[in-house]
């Protein structure tokens, strides 16, 4: 498998956040906190995981996303999943 491109994953995550939650793309930076700054809740997080599962074709275990707090955390979690 080729090396996972985190820039591409970030774009996918950003696009998902814009599409699913109508967020402003300029607000979605790697450091942005999902709950505090982007105003997501736990239901939104589940929706994001389901969307990412559909995008990646990989099953994501909920516990893998429990420690996710920022956009970069999501990117890293997806990268780890794709690399596995």
């Amino acid at each position: 498998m080729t090396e996972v491109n985190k820039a591409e994953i970030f774009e996918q995550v950003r696009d998902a956040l814009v599409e699913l939650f109508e967020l402003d793309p300029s607000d979605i930076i790697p450091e942005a906190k999902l709950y505090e700054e982007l105003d997501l809740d736990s239901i939104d997080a589940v929706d994001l995981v389901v969307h990412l599962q559909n995008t990646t074709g990989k099953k994501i275990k909920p516990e893998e996303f429990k420690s996710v707090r920022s956009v970069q955390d999501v990117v890293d979690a997806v990268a780890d999943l794709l690399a596995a």
Side-chain angles (χ1 to χ4, degrees), residues 2 15-16 20-21 27-28 32 38 41 45 50 56 58 62 71 74 83:
T2 59
D15 291 349
L20 295 170
F21 311 117
D27 291 340
I28 302 167
L38 298 179
D41 60 27
V50 168
T56 61
K58 298 270 190 172
V71 173
V74 176

Side-chain angles (χ1 to χ4, degrees), residues 4-56:
V4 177
N5 184 333
K6 288 193 178 185
E8 285 177 17
I9 294 171
F10 172 76
E11 286 177 23
Q12 285 187 332
V13 170
R14 183 188 60 213
D15 291 349
L17 290 167
V18 170
E19 180 185 328
L20 295 170
F21 311 117
E22 298 176 359
L23 296 173
D24 185 329
S26 65
D27 291 340
I28 302 167
I29 57 171
E31 299 77 33
K33 301 280 183 251
L34 297 174
Y35 304 110
E36 297 87 350
E37 294 170 30
L38 298 179
D39 208 26
L40 300 187
D41 60 27
S42 57
I43 305 289
D44 295 333
V46 170
D47 288 343
L48 179 61
V49 167
V50 168
H51 182 87
L52 292 169
Q53 283 184 164
N54 293 338
T55 304
T56 61

Side-chain angles (χ1 to χ4, degrees), residues 3 9 12 19 60-61 65 80:
E3 188 175 318
I9 294 171
Q12 285 187 332
E19 180 185 328
I60 300 172
K61 296 183 189 82
F65 266 74
D80 291 347

